[in-house]
Amino acid sequence: MTRTSAWGQALAAVALVGALGAGFWGLAKTSAAESEPKPATCSDGETPAPKGKRLTGAQLCEALNRPDLAALLGTPTEIAKTASGSDSSFGSPGGKKIATPQAQVEFETYTVTLAATYDGLPVAGSEALLGSDARPQKMLGRPGVLYSDRTIEIRFRLDGGDADSGPGVPARALTVAQDTKDRGGSVDVTLWRADGGVPEDEVLLRVAERVLQTLPGWRSRG
């Protein structure tokens, strides 16, 4: 074998090792990127309500699950684990169904819900019904009430027996009139912590201020 061919084979071997190394590095980088958790997204299976009509759970979820929600909560490095919207209702004593669409986004530290209630009742003065610590709190020029609430904990039996429920963790909630004249109906933002700590009002109000004004038809219902 000549000196020239030996050097040629040596260089070829180095080039092959380099190419293989680059290939494995690229594969490892791609695998790492694919394994990184992605933020939860809202389901797009529901048809949005016509303009000027009642909000849907899908619309509420889209408004709540915003890219900067974690930063507004003060936990910018967290990503949404779940995000969902649903359309529900309950029956009033008079037999009328009251629509209560809602959405929820869950993070490692906080869970936030956004709900609308079409009961036709004004928000101003409702603090008397919402607990001893409830107080008036205007939001974006509309009447509102800031108050304490509590989640409900549901426990399932491993033996297949009936599930039972009890008080969960403390929550802070803000209910806001759907229009500036408070002609009836509300939008509610509720916040609680996974560790059971009481959420700070500053965090709740910051989230509510950013989220509510992005709801469809919010500005037109002045």
Side-chain angles (χ1 to χ4, degrees), residues 139-140 142 176-179 187 212-222:
M139 173 58 62
L140 299 171
R142 306 180 186 205
V176 182
Q178 291 187 9
D179 59 73
V187 182
L212 291 179
Q213 59 186 315
T214 66
L215 289 174
W218 178 268
R219 299 183 185 279
S220 65
R221 292 193 293 267

Side-chain angles (χ1 to χ4, degrees), residues 83-125:
S84 61
S86 62
D87 293 283
S88 56
S89 62
F90 67 90
S92 67
K96 181 182 178 181
K97 280 193 174 182
I98 297 174
T100 55
Q102 57 188 309
Q104 177 174 297
V105 178
E106 179 187 3
F107 292 88
E108 190 70 31
T109 302
Y110 289 102
T111 298
V112 194
T113 64
L114 176 64
T117 302
Y118 294 90
D119 55 7
L121 299 176
V123 170

Side-chain angles (χ1 to χ4, degrees), residues 43-214:
S43 170
D44 56 1
E46 297 181 62
T47 303
K51 186 176 180 180
K53 302 295 182 180
R54 293 173 181 171
L55 295 164
T56 67
Q59 289 174 316
L60 293 174
C61 188
E62 183 179 355
L64 183 61
N65 192 29
R66 48 191 291 147
D68 63 348
L69 183 57
L72 293 173
L73 291 167
T75 55
T77 60
E78 294 185 1
I79 64 172
K81 300 195 303 183
T82 62
S84 61
S86 62
D87 293 283
S88 56
S89 62
F90 67 90
S92 67
K96 181 182 178 181
K97 280 193 174 182
I98 297 174
T100 55
Q102 57 188 309
Q104 177 174 297
V105 178
E106 179 187 3
F107 292 88
E108 190 70 31
T109 302
Y110 289 102
T111 298
V112 194
T113 64
L114 176 64
T117 302
Y118 294 90
D119 55 7
L121 299 176
V123 170
S126 62
E127 58 268 19
L129 307 173
L130 295 173
S132 58
D133 70 339
R135 60 181 175 84
Q137 176 68 56
K138 272 206 166 189
M139 173 58 62
L140 299 171
R142 306 180 186 205
V145 179
L146 186 65
Y147 63 100
S148 294
D149 203 351
R150 187 170 283 273
T151 64
I152 297 176
E153 181 182 5
I154 300 177
R155 295 179 290 272
F156 296 93
R157 294 170 57 104
L158 296 178
D159 59 5
D162 294 338
D164 60 350
S165 61
V169 298
R172 290 293 283 168
L174 175 71
T175 182
V176 182
Q178 291 187 9
D179 59 73
T180 56
K181 295 182 179 180
D182 198 11
R183 289 171 287 207
S186 63
V187 182
D188 303 270
V189 183
T190 306
L191 181 66
W192 67 86
R193 295 179 58 100
D195 61 8
V198 179
E200 296 180 0
D201 290 347
E202 178 184 356
V203 177
L204 173 61
L205 296 175
R206 182 168 63 232
V207 170
E209 183 177 13
R210 293 292 185 88
V211 171
L212 291 179
Q213 59 186 315
T214 66

Side-chain angles (χ1 to χ4, degrees), residues 23-38:
F24 285 129
W25 178 83
L27 181 61
K29 185 177 180 181
T30 301
S31 299
E34 291 178 349
S35 65
E36 289 180 359
K38 305 290 190 218

